[in-house]
Amino acid sequence: MLNPPRPLGSSGGSIAHLREHNLSRILLALASGTPLSRSQIAARTGLGITAMTKLIAELRERELAIEVPDTSPGAIGRPSHHIALADNRWSTASLNLDNGAIHVATGGIAGEYDTSYSIRTPESLEIDEYMNYVAEALNHIASANAKEGKELLALEVAVPGAVNRASGVMMRSILNGWSRPYPLRKVLLDLLQAINRGIAPTVLVGIDRATNYSLLARLRDSPARTQTGTVAHLGGLYAVSGGIYSRSALEHGSTGLAGEFGHFVVDPTGAQCWCGRRGCVETRIGLASLYTRCNGEHDSAVRLLPQLALRHEHFVRQILSRAEAGDELVLRELNEAGRWLGITVDTIATIVNPGALLIDGYLSALAKYLEPEMTRQLESVGPVPAISGLGIAFAEEPFTPVNRGMQIAAGLAVAMQPGAVRGPRNQAGKAR
């Protein structure tokens, strides 16, 4: 399973804080969604049986955990019950705020989603207008919850751009055409406060960069990667970004931009990036830059930005089709992009020193043509300790939805903050 982060409140405090910390330890043990016996929970948390029994009773009272029959093969003797997360009571949701569409998913607190759909928006809307569509999505989620007798307990929101998870501020999203700081979490909480039914009294709201959520999904799919220590992620559906997972948690840095590999400057005399800097990785291996160069253009990448969200898979298919047909220009540009990918990987390895590097998104879709030149570039510069043992893998399914990682993050948020639920149908004021 994905190694969960440490629960909040683990650095001392009152007896009440210690109890919340221990409740969190149990919820994190259950976070994989697999029911566990009491002895398994005790082994994973280090809690004594007596204390754990009382804590499980409290989680059941808060409707965060339930007992389920033991259906494991070979179970004999007196019927026993395992403990599982109570996905029938609470809901979680995720909103991926893309240019031209809001991608919505809903599920339970175990971190998986069971419903997904998209709400189309006009392209390149100003953020204030766009939030009207976000309000529509939230009302739709709340209405569905009310019909099923559930309440939204955690919401995660992804933005393709610069986001500070700690402060809740989206600094900018050029891919959406948003260039000013925006108090996104506060606005979301205000919208949720205005909804009467289907929203928990205290709802947890998190925001992050889209690629950080993708990394969580990849780690859930391949938990062995977490055994290598630090994992670096290089990808993005249609622009170069990335992330860092270390010490059992995503690393966000001081302003939320740790792992923003697309804007390393690798070619100071190169082209100007759409971010305003010159010679970023994005100017060399970004999808917009690569696509325009494959068409014999070199200065028109910026005009493609509004189209990337809805047409990135189409652009990738065009590049692959022409490469398969032996188009010399496309093959030459892909080779050159592979070389710059090698330079980027070497830079990441030297700075981050990860045990594994996962390459995702459209870069993974183009792996057949990028990987050979990437490997030659890495071999040509000679080995250094930071890269000699690095495991590099291209994702097999390059366009896995970001929402899956967002649902995992929502489940972890509940597990780390059980205080969001004080009791069944608690009607205290919505606070977070």
Side-chain angles (χ1 to χ4, degrees):
M1 63 178 275
L2 179 67
N3 291 330
R6 292 183 300 170
L8 297 183
S10 58
S11 58
S14 67
I15 293 176
H17 287 150
L18 178 60
R19 186 177 69 254
E20 292 298 315
H21 167 68
N22 288 334
L23 290 171
S24 184
R25 290 165 70 182
I26 295 173
L27 290 172
L28 288 169
L30 297 169
S32 67
T34 302
L36 299 175
S37 68
R38 284 171 170 79
S39 60
Q40 288 173 320
I41 295 173
R44 295 188 185 191
T45 62
L47 294 168
I49 293 296
T50 301
M52 188 188 64
T53 299
K54 292 180 179 179
L55 292 166
I56 289 174
E58 184 168 348
L59 290 174
R60 292 178 63 193
E61 181 183 351
R62 295 192 193 188
E63 300 181 84
L64 287 170
I66 57 174
E67 284 195 343
V68 297
D70 178 10
T71 58
S72 59
I76 59 174
R78 184 179 178 181
S80 62
H81 288 80
H82 283 188
I83 306 302
L85 294 175
D87 265 357
N88 62 327
R89 168 66 181 88
W90 306 102
S91 81
T92 59
S94 57
L95 305 179
N96 185 2
L97 308 186
D98 231 333
N99 188 0
I102 300 172
H103 305 292
V104 184
T106 60
I109 60 175
E112 299 291 342
Y113 68 82
D114 48 35
T115 302
S116 63
Y117 54 91
S118 295
I119 296 175
R120 293 296 296 271
T121 75
E123 293 184 33
S124 303
L125 273 183
E126 288 293 331
I127 180 65
D128 295 312
E129 295 179 75
Y130 190 98
M131 293 306 291
N132 291 327
Y133 291 89
V134 173
E136 176 187 333
L138 294 175
N139 276 287
H140 188 278
I141 292 167
S143 296
N145 282 342
K147 289 179 181 178
E148 298 177 9
K150 295 182 178 182
E151 291 182 350
L152 179 68
L153 187 54
L155 171 71
E156 292 287 335
V157 179
V159 179
V163 176
N164 189 327
R165 185 173 178 87
S167 69
V169 173
M170 180 203 70
M171 289 170 276
R172 65 177 181 176
S173 177
I174 295 176
L175 293 168
N176 278 334
W178 305 333
S179 58
R180 61 183 172 93
Y182 187 82
L184 182 57
R185 185 163 57 210
K186 180 182 183 302
V187 172
L188 290 165
L189 283 167
D190 288 344
L191 291 174
L192 291 166
Q193 288 273 7
I195 300 174
N196 293 324
R197 298 178 61 210
I199 307 296
T202 302
V203 59
L204 305 169
V205 177
I207 68 171
D208 212 334
R209 294 184 297 120
T211 44
N212 273 338
Y213 291 118
S214 294
L215 176 53
L216 282 180
R218 296 303 187 191
L219 292 174
R220 176 66 66 89
D221 290 338
S222 182
R225 288 198 181 97
T226 62
Q227 306 307 313
T228 65
T230 300
V231 179
H233 179 231
L234 176 65
L237 293 180
Y238 45 80
V240 188
S241 187
I244 304 169
Y245 187 87
S246 179
R247 294 174 294 181
S248 300
L250 288 169
E251 298 287 351
H252 287 92
S254 60
T255 61
L257 299 181
E260 186 58 276
F261 302 131
H263 298 287
F264 276 167
V265 173
V266 291
D267 184 14
T269 61
Q272 186 171 29
C273 180
W274 45 259
C275 76
R277 288 152 61 84
R278 182 170 296 279
C280 292
V281 170
E282 179 70 29
T283 66
R284 286 298 180 176
I285 61 175
L287 180 56
S289 297
L290 181 58
Y291 183 78
T292 54
R293 288 200 305 272
C294 285
N295 289 319
E297 305 170 12
H298 294 274
D299 299 312
S300 57
V302 172
R303 69 175 174 79
L304 286 182
L305 295 184
Q307 304 178 49
L308 286 176
L310 298 178
R311 301 190 65 203
H312 57 278
E313 292 189 51
H314 169 72
F315 292 152
V316 170
R317 284 195 298 269
Q318 278 196 331
I319 293 172
L320 287 172
S321 177
R322 289 173 60 186
E324 293 289 345
D327 186 311
E328 291 185 3
L329 172 61
V330 172
L331 292 173
R332 185 167 62 250
E333 291 297 341
L334 287 171
N335 280 342
E336 181 67 0
R339 184 175 74 87
W340 283 103
L341 177 59
I343 293 171
T344 304
V345 168
D346 184 77
T347 304
I348 293 170
T350 303
I351 295 174
V352 179
N353 190 24
L357 171 65
L358 175 64
I359 300 176
D360 204 352
Y362 73 92
L363 292 172
S364 178
L366 299 171
K368 176 181 177 180
Y369 297 97
L370 298 178
E371 187 173 11
E373 198 60 37
M374 176 197 78
T375 302
R376 279 191 285 271
Q377 171 62 30
L378 292 172
E379 292 174 347
S380 71
V381 296
V384 294
I387 202 168
S388 59
L390 177 63
I392 303 174
F394 287 84
E396 294 182 4
E397 296 180 12
F399 297 118
T400 297
V402 173
N403 291 77
R404 184 156 179 270
M406 298 166 72
Q407 290 298 130
I408 293 170
L412 290 174
V414 173
M416 292 175 68
Q417 301 179 69
V421 180
R422 289 295 177 184
R425 311 289 173 173
N426 187 312
Q427 294 303 310
K430 300 173 188 176
R432 288 190 69 86

